[in-house]
Amino acid sequence: MDDRKAATHRFNSSDARDKNPLTGLAGQDWFNQQLDRLISGGTCRQTTTLALLQLENFYEILSWIGRIEADLLLHDLARLLEKSVPEGSLLCHCRNHEFAVLLYNQGDGKVRLVADRIRQALQTGTSLSIPPQLKLRCGVGLATVNTKSPSATVLFARARHNLSLAQSQSGREFLLNQAVDTEQLLSRISRCLQRRCLRLSFQPVVSLAADRVQRYEVRARLIEPHYKATMPTRENVLNPGLFMEPLVQNALGESLDRLVLEAVAGVLTQARQPALQFIVNLTQNSLVSRDFPVWLEAAGQKWPALSPSLVLQLSEIDILCAQHHMAAFSRKLRDLNLVLSVSHFGCTENPFRYLPLLRAGYAKLDPSLCGDLINDGIQRELVASIAGDLNRRGIRPIACMLETMPLLAPLWQAGVRLVQGNCLQAPVAQFNYAFPRERKFS
C-alpha cells in the first residue's frame, strides 16, 4: 500500500474526533501525525508537496454575511476542494479556517499549476455564496515533503513563509520551497539559540511632539563564539538578514522571540525606568503558535516590568499571512495589557481592512511611503491621508528609516509625530538617546 492509499485508509477508519465536524475533512492534529509518519517512515516520495490554502479575506466576508452563512461557506469550500484536488490527495481543515492538502506525484512545475487550478476553482465556485461586491481571495503556500523534512510543524512554517513571499510579491508566481544547502547555517543558528548567544541593540523612536515616553526598537543579533585556541575571544556575528529566513522556515522563530523577550525583561528589570518602552519584533512562528501566548502570560508574571513597557511588533505581511490566528492573538495581548505595533504598514493594497482584527497602538509606515516627501506633493497627500486615518483610530503612525533631518518637517505636517532613523541615531548597544523635551518645526 503506497503513502496516499495508506493515509486515506487511516483517515476513513479514524475516529470521528479526528475529523472537523463542520467540513468532515481531517483535523490538523491528525493530519500532522500523518505528515510526521511519512517523514519518519523514510518512504516519502520526493514529489510529495504540502499546500497551505488560505482564504485571504474570510473575515471581511464574515462581517457581511454573518457566522452561520460563513460556516456554510466553509462547508461548500470543503466540497469544492474535494472535487478540485487530484485524486488521492489528503485534505485537512486546519485550525482558524485554513485548509491544507497533501499532493502526491506532482512535479515542481505541475504542482504550481495544480495549486493555481485549486485556487481558481475556489474563487469561481463560491461566487453565488457571497455578496456581489466581494470576491473570495485565496492564497497558496507550498512546501516540499521529503525524508529530510524535520517535522510537520516545520513544513507548515515553510508553506506559510512561502505564502508570505507570494503575498509580498503582489500575486507573482507561487514560490515552492527548494532544497537549499542550509544545514550548516541551521546548525550554527541552533547552537546560538541553545547557548543563548544573543546581542541586543536599541534604536530610538522619537516623538516630535515631546512626551515622556522613551521608546526604543530592539534589534537582535546572534553571536557565535569562535573556539579556535589561537583566537579564543573572536566572535562570529549572525545578522537577521542572514539567519531570519531559514530561522522562520524551520520553525525556530519562536525560540528566538522567547530568548529576546527574556533578555529584554532582564534589561527592563535592571533599568527600573518607568518611562522606558521597548518595541520587540516577533516572528510569524510565534503568531501561529498555540504555546507562545501561554509562555507570554507566564513571562509577564515572572517579570512584572514587561507589561507596562513592552510593545510587540508584527509585520503587515505576517499578519495578512496568519490573519486567521490574529483575532485570538490580539485578544490574548489585550488580556495581558500588551500593545501591538504593525511594521511595514501600507505595503499591501488595502492595509486598513485587517485592522478590526487587531488591538494596535502603533503602525510603522512602510519606508516606501516616506521616500521623497519634500518634492512629491502627491506622496505627501497619501501619507497625510494614511496618518490621519490611523490617528482617528487611535493608532500612532511611525515613520522609519529616515536618513535626512529635512524629512521631519513634512512628516509633522502630514500628522506623523513619531520618527525613527539613522539621522536621529543608528542602533546602538546602549539606550542612551537624549530625547527632546520640546522641538518646533516651521
Side-chain angles (χ1 to χ4, degrees):
M1 186 179 297
D2 64 19
D3 297 336
R4 58 180 172 179
K5 289 182 179 179
T8 303
H9 173 74
R10 285 193 293 270
F11 176 64
N12 290 335
S13 60
S14 64
D15 193 286
R17 290 173 297 180
D18 297 327
K19 303 176 183 180
N20 185 282
L22 179 63
T23 61
L25 300 180
Q28 187 167 353
D29 290 337
W30 185 89
F31 188 83
N32 286 353
Q33 291 173 8
Q34 308 316 304
L35 271 177
D36 287 331
R37 183 174 294 181
L38 270 177
I39 295 166
S40 62
T43 60
C44 182
R45 293 178 172 83
Q46 294 289 331
T47 53
T48 303
T49 303
L50 171 67
L52 178 64
L53 311 175
Q54 187 180 93
L55 316 178
E56 294 181 353
N57 59 337
F58 175 78
Y59 287 99
E60 185 180 7
I61 295 172
L62 173 64
S63 67
W64 280 86
I65 66 178
R67 172 57 65 181
I68 295 177
E69 292 295 326
D71 286 345
L72 292 175
L73 173 62
L74 289 172
H75 180 271
D76 292 343
L77 286 170
R79 304 290 77 77
L80 278 170
L81 278 172
E82 289 177 323
K83 297 177 182 178
S84 304
V85 301
E87 185 179 358
S89 302
L90 189 61
L91 273 168
C92 163
H93 185 171
C94 305
R95 291 180 287 272
N96 303 299
H97 312 308
E98 297 171 316
F99 294 94
V101 56
L102 207 56
L103 301 170
Y104 299 94
N105 297 328
Q106 309 291 331
D108 288 355
K110 189 177 179 182
V111 78
R112 293 183 178 91
L113 296 176
V114 171
D116 196 39
R117 187 177 72 235
I118 294 171
R119 183 183 64 158
Q120 292 189 18
L122 293 182
Q123 291 179 166
T124 57
T126 56
S127 58
L128 299 178
S129 305
I130 59 179
Q133 65 270 36
L134 295 176
K135 180 181 179 181
L136 182 68
R137 293 193 298 272
C138 299
V140 183
L142 304 171
T144 301
V145 185
N146 53 50
T147 53
K148 293 184 179 180
S149 305
S151 66
T153 300
V154 170
L155 283 169
F156 268 93
R158 289 177 178 173
R160 196 179 299 280
H161 177 78
N162 288 334
L163 176 56
S164 294
L165 292 178
Q167 288 180 327
S168 66
Q169 296 185 28
S170 303
R172 295 180 193 170
E173 182 182 22
F174 289 125
L175 298 177
L176 179 66
N177 178 257
Q178 301 290 340
V180 180
D181 185 15
T182 58
E183 291 185 10
Q184 184 179 9
L185 178 57
L186 285 172
S187 177
R188 295 168 64 191
I189 293 171
S190 298
R191 185 163 56 248
C192 290
L193 293 175
Q194 291 168 3
R195 298 180 183 178
R196 308 174 65 84
C197 297
L198 186 77
R199 177 179 294 170
L200 301 182
S201 61
F202 306 87
Q203 186 171 31
V205 177
V206 181
S207 176
L208 300 178
D211 57 25
R212 296 183 178 181
V213 182
Q214 298 178 11
R215 301 175 184 86
Y216 291 91
E217 182 174 355
V218 179
R219 310 285 174 82
R221 293 182 295 175
L222 295 175
I223 308 299
E224 185 181 29
H226 198 291
Y227 288 106
K228 284 186 177 180
T230 55
M231 292 180 293
T233 61
R234 181 177 175 181
E235 293 176 325
N236 291 334
V237 179
L238 299 181
N239 290 309
L242 175 66
F243 70 74
M244 192 55 72
E245 183 167 337
L247 182 96
V248 173
Q249 286 214 36
N250 288 276
L252 295 172
E254 184 180 351
S255 297
L256 175 66
D257 294 340
R258 293 188 184 192
L259 189 59
V260 172
L261 286 169
E262 288 178 5
V264 165
V267 172
L268 286 170
T269 302
Q270 186 175 6
R272 296 183 181 179
Q273 298 180 27
L276 274 179
Q277 188 176 78
F278 286 163
I279 301 172
V280 177
N281 292 282
L282 293 184
T283 64
Q284 187 186 100
N285 298 150
S286 293
L287 175 54
V288 302
S289 169
R290 287 191 290 180
D291 297 327
F292 182 75
V294 178
W295 179 90
L296 191 60
E297 183 174 11
Q301 296 172 354
K302 184 177 180 179
W303 297 292
L306 274 180
S307 179
S309 302
L310 181 64
V311 176
L312 298 179
Q313 185 161 266
L314 295 163
S315 76
E316 182 175 279
I317 289 296
D318 284 347
I319 290 173
L320 286 174
C321 180
Q323 62 182 286
H324 299 72
H325 301 255
M326 200 62 230
F329 188 85
S330 189
R331 283 195 301 270
K332 191 63 177 180
L333 295 190
R334 183 170 57 249
D335 294 342
L336 298 177
N337 197 30
L338 294 174
V339 179
L340 179 69
S341 175
V342 181
S343 66
H344 298 286
F345 185 85
C347 70
T348 59
E349 184 177 349
N350 184 8
F352 288 96
R353 66 182 171 88
Y354 63 81
L355 285 183
L357 295 174
L358 315 180
R359 182 186 177 240
Y362 299 99
K364 193 175 177 183
L365 303 180
D366 191 73
S368 63
L369 295 172
C370 304
D372 192 18
L373 295 183
I374 297 175
N375 302 311
D376 192 337
I378 295 177
Q379 196 68 14
R380 285 199 302 272
E381 291 179 4
L382 174 62
V383 172
S385 174
I386 293 174
D389 202 337
L390 287 170
N391 284 320
R392 283 189 292 273
R393 295 168 184 256
I395 302 172
R396 303 190 64 180
I398 303 172
C400 65
M401 296 183 67
L402 304 179
E403 297 294 335
T404 59
M405 296 294 283
L407 279 172
L408 301 185
L411 285 169
W412 172 276
Q413 293 165 359
V416 179
R417 298 292 183 263
L418 295 174
V419 293
Q420 179 189 36
N422 289 345
C423 66
L424 296 163
Q425 188 182 75
V428 293
Q430 301 295 327
F431 45 95
N432 54 5
Y433 183 76
F435 286 88
R437 293 184 177 274
E438 184 175 355
R439 182 169 291 188
K440 296 181 180 180
F441 297 94
S442 59

